[in-house]
Structures are given as C-alpha cells and as structure tokens.
Amino acid sequence: MEQFNYTYSILIIALPAIMFLILGLGGKYMKPIVSGILGTTSLCVMAVLSYVTAYQYFFVDGKVDGVYQAVHTAFTWLRFTDTLHIDLGIYLDPISVMMLVVITTVSLMVHIYSLGYMKGEKGFQRYYAFLSLFSFAMLGLVVATNIFQMYIFWELVGVSSFLLISFYYTKPSAVAASKKAFIVTRFADFFFLVGILLLSYFSETFDFTTITAQGAPFIATMQGSSFLGLSVMSWAMLLIFMGGAGKSAMMPFHIWLPDAMEGPTPASALIHAATMVVAGVFLVARLFPVYAFGAPDILQFISYVGAITALFAAIVACTQTDIKRVLAFSTISQIAFMLTSIGVSKFGGHDGLGYMAGMFHLFTHAFFKALLFLCAGAIIHAVHSNEMDDMGGLWKNLKVTRWAFLVALLAIAGVPFFSGFYSKDEILAAAFENDKVIYFILSFAAGLTAFYMTRLFLRIFFYEKKHYHHEPHEAGPAMALPLIILTVFAFGAGYVPFSQFITSDGVPYDAHINMQVAITSVIISLVGMGIAFKLYYKKNEIPDKIVSSISTLYKWAYHKFYFDELWLFVTRSIIFKRISKPIAWFDKKFVDGFMDSLATVTQAASRSIKGLQSGYIQQYALVYLLGALILIVGFAGWLVCFICR
C-alpha cells in the first residue's frame, strides 16, 4: 500500500483552518453572503476529498491480505527520549475514514442550511468562521496519529463548542450555557489528561499504531501494579473514558448538553447531535484493543454507564416541552446506546459485533439526528418558538419538513427499512448475546425513544391547530435542500454493508439480522409509537390524567431528576465551601501571611536604618567621626586593660 496516494488528505484539515483565518480576520470586510459562500465552498471541496479518500481506502488499496490496514504519515514534533516522542500527522483507518465522511457531509449540510437560517443575523461572518474552526478541530481529532495530538484537537473542539453556544453573547442564558459546557467538559478532560499520562508511561509511547496494533501480548506488558483493586492500566483507561464521558454527555457529565441548545439550531445539528458528542464514542473505539485486552473490567463498566444513561435520558425526554431539549436528551440516549454496544463487545470476528454495531449506529445516527435538528430549525423558523405548546397542526403548512421529520422519526424509532432499524438491531443483538440485563434496559429505552419521538412529531404536526399571528410557511431553498439530502441519507444509510468495512480487528465479515431480537424490537417500537398516537394525535385529557397519577415521577423527570441542583450543591456547598474556602483561608492567613510578615519586618528594618542614607555629607562626616572616636576609645580601653594585667 503506497502511502503517498493519501498525501492530499492533509487538505481536508488545512482548508477549514485557512478558512477560519480568512473569515475570522477578514470577514468584517466582506458581505455576509460572501463569507457564507466561501465557507460552504470550502466544505464542499473537503467533502469531495473525504469521499475520494473513502473510496480509495475501502475499495482500492486499504485492504492487505483481507485486513484493513492503517495508513499514517507523521513528523516528530516533540522528542523526550529515544522511544517517547509526540508526532503530528494523519492517521487513516476504517473508523477515521468513516468519520471524515460523516463530519464533512453533515457540516456541508449545515453550511448550506445556515445560508437561509442565519440570514440577517448579526455576526453572520463570525458564525461561519466558528463553523470552520469546529470542522478543523473535529477533523483533526479523528485523524490524529497519537493520543496527545488527539488531546490537542479535543480541547480545540471544546473551544469551538464554547464559541458557538455563546454565539448570541448578548443573551444571558446563552452565556451561562456556554460557560457550563466549557467548565463541565474541562473538568472531565482533566481526568482524560491524567489517563493519557498513565497510559503513555506504561506503554512508553503516545502513538496509536504502537499501542493498539500489537495486540494482547504487548498490552499485557503495560499492566503495572495494582491500586485499590484495579491495575494501573485499568485506572488509566477509566480516566480516559471519563474524558470521553464528559464530551459525549454521559452521566453524570450530561448536564451541559441540554443547555447547549442555546446556540444556533444549525450549530446544534452539527456539534451537539452528529459530530462533537460522538467524540467519546470514537475515543473508546480508537483504544478498543487496549480496553478489550488490558481493561475488560472497565469495558464492562462502560456498558452499564451507557445503559443507565440511555434509559435515564429517554425517561427525561418523555417530559420535555422544548423541542430542542427533547432532541438533546434523545442525543444523550442514542450516544449511550453506542457506548453500551462497544462496552459489551469483544475483539475479533462475530465476537466484535458490539463494536461494529456501535460504530454503525454512530454512522446512521449522525444523519437522522442532524435531520431532526434541521427540521426543528425549520419549525422554529416558521412559528418563532421552541415550545410544543406554541405548535400544532403544521402538517399542511410545512410540506418538506413534515416528510423529512417523518423519515427521521421512523429511523430513530427503529422501524424496518429505515436506517436506524439496522444499526439499533445490531446493538440489541450484541447486548442480547453478552448481557441480558443490558439488553432489557436498552429494549425499554428503545420503546421510550419511539414514544417520545412520536409524541414530538404529533405535537408539532397534529394534536391541536393553533392560531398563529403569521401563517407558518416552508423555509427557502437553502434550508429545504439539506433536508431533502439528509432525508435520503437517513433512509439509506442502513443499507451500507457496514461489517464489510468496519470491524474490531479490521477483518470484514458478514453480519446477519437476529430475527428474534429484530421482531421483539419492532414490536416494542410499534407499541411505543401506538401509545403516543393514542395520546397525542388529537388533543384530549388522557395525558393530563396520566401526569396527575404519576405526578411525583413526572416532576422528577421533568426537572431531569435534579442533577443540575445536585451538581450545584456539590460544587457550591462541598467543593467551594468545604474544600476551596478553607484552602483559600489557609492560603490567605498562612501562606500570604508569612510572606506579608517577611515584607513587614523588612520594611520596619529599612525604616529604622534609612536615616543612615540621608544624603547629607555633614551627617556622614559626623557619623564617621563618632565611629572613629568609638573605635579609638575602645582600643585605648583594651590597651590599658592589657597593660594593667
């Protein structure tokens, strides 16, 4: 395999970086539409290059002796020892090539959509500059050759997210949401960094090829000593997962994602639905051999964290009335499905079904969830509200959006022949084969997904016809075109023979539908959709009666089980008041007090002797004479005593 064939792939990362500089520095001198067209054209070129790369890798020369190989080009950036150094470069393997396609496709759709959605907004050029920065950061993350390079772009993704969430910086809620997202993810990233240091210490490398490609024997040599019942390798992988859990909004780090909906809706589609939030999934997938061979206990822990998060987020989504928050909790739940699937997986062949299924669902979810967010943007654009209570009866008004939303609904609900059915079925099959408890949890969460998404659809397009100040109408071509394209992806992505391209060991195999699991999941989904149809197709009193009968549970779910309040209590009453405040008091009273005392003593001493440096020659002469006389008298006294002795 000739690596020089892929040297052009550096342009996929370089173009958004260049575009960020052009739009960031020169955007204010451009007309808004010019900056939008420049950014969109750049993304179009990147998407074409990504598809060319995917074709060449998967169908031409990516496979050697039946196994997909990693292609990487890098140069040494920092060298610490002969073996420990940090490189910068491009790393192409099945999951990174797949992510190039996903990121550039969704980002291109968002760029086109934003030409219409953000038209007339103050800061239009700045918005497109931030989109380019995010695209650069996310693409750099997925093609990183080593974990340290990944961490650099990981943090840059966080910065991009902060900038886009706070785009409406005059809006207090947007500023608060951006700070919340930044602080929570930085807190999780601290653990990620510590995990990187532990992993690199025992592996003596940052390089992904060295860490993951040498298999179980090499990984077994990195175990190290044990601490609190876990090997140091297990602790390292747990800490790394905590960083991924923060970025992918897993419990208990999920609190930032719903508030992140304060950003522009197209940005939510790009960052908080399809790409950035799957960074944690990608991280676990990238280091999967280390988890599978070096820390299987942590892999099992990941599966249970994912399963619990999937169910939790699905329950909360059933109670929310802001359509973007429903989609936010849906995203948390679906990301949890992916992590759970990887968590129940083993390495190689059919045993790696969970790994393949998790990445397959990442692939399909990116398209139908981006479509749902862009549909939400079209709906908000039409009725000027995020609340379901302000919507209803829009089926006849939004003729493109309604069909796009319906296809995305059927995909996420797992209805046969739509993309989500195929990827979700594989996840449930992997769980069924490896852990029945997790299988039942995910099945229930899948039923809730079908329920709350159907509820959302019916509350928007049916339920109760509203009297709007202005008759809602479909958005313009710039917003409609991405909806149509993503509708095709949301339907057809499931027909990609994914197991022929992406597996845990790089060896393609034939995956088959588990009919027992598939039939059960379809029945569960149809039941969930049927219940929602009964409750929300036309306005009636049944939903209110159900809420009244389970008022306590509903209240807890509506308030997200008070996780935000719990975090505030922990941070304010425990960390700030019980830990930070005593430390600050000790620092002020003892550390600062000791240094202040040194300064006070020095100042007092200097005041007492500063008169000796008055600058008056007469005074100096007098002191000199007095000193001389004292010496003479002292010497004379000593001499007399010596003679008399």
Side-chain angles (χ1 to χ4, degrees):
M1 182 165 48
E2 299 179 359
Q3 295 186 10
F4 67 84
N5 290 336
Y6 295 90
T7 53
Y8 63 83
S9 60
I10 188 66
L11 291 174
I12 301 174
I13 301 177
L15 281 174
I18 294 170
M19 194 54 55
F20 167 67
L21 294 176
I22 292 174
L23 297 180
L25 298 176
K28 63 182 180 181
Y29 304 109
M30 304 177 188
K31 291 183 178 180
I33 189 62
V34 173
S35 63
I37 292 174
L38 278 176
T40 304
T41 303
S42 171
L43 247 298
C44 188
V45 174
M46 292 158 53
V48 170
L49 291 175
S50 296
Y51 277 86
V52 170
T53 302
Y55 175 79
Q56 185 169 349
Y57 182 83
F58 286 121
F59 298 103
V60 180
D61 58 4
K63 200 186 309 182
V64 176
D65 297 328
V67 181
Y68 284 109
Q69 305 293 317
V71 181
H72 58 98
T73 56
F75 66 91
T76 300
W77 180 42
L78 297 173
R79 179 173 292 278
F80 303 105
T81 66
D82 291 338
T83 58
L84 186 61
H85 54 87
I86 299 175
D87 297 340
L88 294 179
I90 303 292
Y91 186 91
L92 299 177
D93 71 339
I95 59 173
S96 61
V97 174
M98 180 270 290
M99 287 298 294
L100 289 180
V101 172
V102 169
I103 294 167
T104 54
T105 301
V106 175
S107 186
L108 177 59
M109 296 301 103
V110 168
H111 273 71
I112 297 172
Y113 184 92
S114 297
L115 291 173
Y117 188 87
M118 299 296 290
K119 184 178 180 180
E121 289 278 5
K122 183 180 179 181
F124 187 89
Q125 300 94 320
R126 174 167 53 89
Y127 170 78
Y128 270 89
F130 291 164
L131 286 184
S132 295
L133 176 63
F134 170 78
S135 299
F136 165 65
M138 193 66 203
L139 290 166
L141 187 155
V142 299
V143 299
T145 61
N146 58 79
I147 196 168
F148 197 87
Q149 181 184 348
M150 177 185 277
Y151 185 77
I152 294 172
F153 284 98
W154 186 278
E155 294 303 309
L156 192 57
V157 165
V159 172
S160 308
S161 173
F162 171 82
L163 293 173
L164 283 165
I165 296 170
S166 61
F167 176 78
Y168 300 114
Y169 58 87
T170 57
K171 189 178 177 183
S173 58
V175 175
S178 64
K179 291 191 293 185
K180 185 177 183 179
F182 192 80
I183 292 170
V184 172
T185 52
R186 292 298 75 69
F187 179 73
D189 290 348
F190 166 75
F191 299 106
F192 184 18
L193 180 59
V194 175
I196 290 174
L197 297 177
L198 286 175
L199 178 63
S200 62
Y201 177 80
F202 284 99
S203 64
E204 297 184 349
T205 182
F206 294 107
D207 189 66
F208 285 131
T209 302
T210 305
I211 294 174
T212 63
Q214 300 189 42
F218 175 74
I219 294 171
T221 65
M222 300 189 295
Q223 291 297 320
S225 58
S226 61
F227 176 70
L228 295 179
L230 293 176
S231 68
V232 176
M233 178 55 63
S234 293
W235 279 110
M237 302 315 293
L238 175 61
L239 292 169
I240 288 173
F241 167 67
M242 290 175 70
K247 197 72 78 183
S248 290
M250 293 295 99
M251 293 176 67
F253 301 121
H254 65 280
I255 58 171
W256 67 269
L257 185 58
D259 290 353
M261 298 301 111
E262 291 290 342
T265 301
S268 298
L270 175 63
I271 296 180
H272 308 122
T275 54
M276 189 193 93
V277 289
V278 300
V281 181
F282 181 83
L283 173 64
V284 175
R286 169 63 72 219
L287 295 173
F288 182 72
V290 185
Y291 280 104
F293 296 125
D297 46 350
I298 303 304
L299 206 56
Q300 185 179 28
F301 173 76
I302 290 172
S303 68
Y304 275 93
V305 169
I308 294 170
T309 302
L311 181 58
F312 160 81
I315 292 172
V316 174
C318 293
T319 66
Q320 300 302 298
T321 57
D322 183 314
I323 63 173
K324 288 179 67 175
R325 288 184 182 272
V326 173
L327 296 179
F329 280 102
S330 172
T331 299
I332 295 172
S333 184
Q334 296 301 305
I335 299 298
F337 266 79
M338 302 171 203
L339 280 170
T340 304
S341 184
I342 297 176
V344 299
S345 181
K346 296 180 175 59
F347 188 83
H350 183 74
D351 288 340
L353 174 63
Y355 177 93
M356 186 279 294
M359 300 310 291
F360 193 12
H361 200 57
L362 185 157
F363 181 72
T364 60
H365 172 267
F367 300 121
F368 64 67
K369 185 52 67 65
L371 177 57
L372 284 168
F373 265 100
L374 295 188
C375 285
I379 295 163
I380 294 169
H381 188 269
V383 302
H384 306 290
S385 174
N386 291 23
E387 287 292 328
M388 293 183 199
D389 293 337
D390 298 328
M391 303 172 187
L394 292 173
W395 178 258
K396 293 182 179 180
N397 301 88
L398 307 179
K399 296 181 180 180
V400 175
T401 304
R402 68 187 185 188
W403 292 113
F405 202 114
L406 180 60
V407 170
L409 161 64
L410 296 175
I412 195 173
V415 174
F417 309 114
F418 293 84
S419 62
F421 165 75
Y422 298 100
S423 56
K424 188 186 72 173
D425 176 74
E426 299 290 6
I427 290 176
L428 293 175
F432 182 79
E433 294 175 6
N434 291 279
D435 193 317
K436 295 296 190 297
V437 173
I438 288 179
Y439 167 73
F440 287 117
I441 294 174
L442 292 186
S443 295
F444 186 43
L448 290 177
T449 301
F451 169 78
Y452 68 70
M453 289 306 304
T454 306
R455 166 182 175 260
L456 177 62
F457 177 79
L458 295 173
R459 287 291 306 270
I460 293 170
F461 294 102
F462 297 97
Y463 195 62
E464 180 185 16
K465 178 67 176 178
K466 299 289 184 179
H467 299 286
Y468 301 100
H469 294 294
H470 302 283
E471 189 67 15
H473 58 85
E474 193 62 80
M479 294 172 64
L481 178 62
L483 296 184
I484 296 170
I485 295 174
L486 283 174
T487 299
V488 175
F489 277 95
F491 174 77
Y495 292 95
V496 175
F498 212 75
S499 62
Q500 293 296 314
F501 303 116
I502 295 178
T503 59
S504 60
D505 57 357
V507 181
Y509 73 94
D510 293 324
H512 302 286
I513 294 177
N514 185 320
M515 293 306 298
Q516 178 184 353
V517 172
I519 292 172
T520 303
S521 67
V522 169
I523 292 173
I524 292 172
S525 294
L526 292 178
V527 169
M529 296 176 71
I531 294 173
F533 191 85
K534 175 67 176 177
L535 297 179
Y536 297 105
Y537 179 66
K538 289 184 178 180
K539 187 174 182 180
N540 58 84
E541 298 179 352
I542 300 177
D544 292 334
K545 290 180 179 179
I546 294 175
V547 169
S548 299
S549 65
I550 55 170
S551 58
T552 302
L553 175 61
Y554 183 88
K555 180 181 178 182
W556 277 69
Y558 180 78
H559 290 285
K560 298 161 283 189
F561 291 92
Y562 298 98
F563 265 92
D564 289 82
E565 290 78 6
L566 179 60
W567 269 106
L568 285 175
F569 172 77
V570 170
T571 53
R572 291 178 178 176
S573 301
I574 298 178
I575 296 178
F576 294 162
K577 189 174 181 179
R578 304 299 179 188
I579 299 176
S580 300
K581 190 174 181 179
I583 292 175
W585 179 85
F586 178 83
D587 177 69
K588 184 176 181 180
K589 297 297 183 180
F590 286 88
V591 179
D592 290 353
F594 175 72
M595 300 307 296
D596 291 343
S597 298
L598 290 179
T600 300
V601 171
T602 303
Q603 287 179 341
S606 64
R607 287 195 197 98
S608 64
I609 63 174
K610 69 179 182 180
L612 298 176
Q613 296 291 331
S614 64
Y616 294 108
I617 296 178
Q618 298 92 328
Q619 183 178 349
Y620 293 162
L622 178 62
V623 171
Y624 175 79
L625 290 175
L626 289 174
L629 287 174
I630 292 172
L631 289 174
I632 292 172
V633 171
F635 179 75
W638 174 82
L639 185 61
V640 170
C641 292
F642 179 78
I643 294 173
C644 294
R645 189 181 60 177

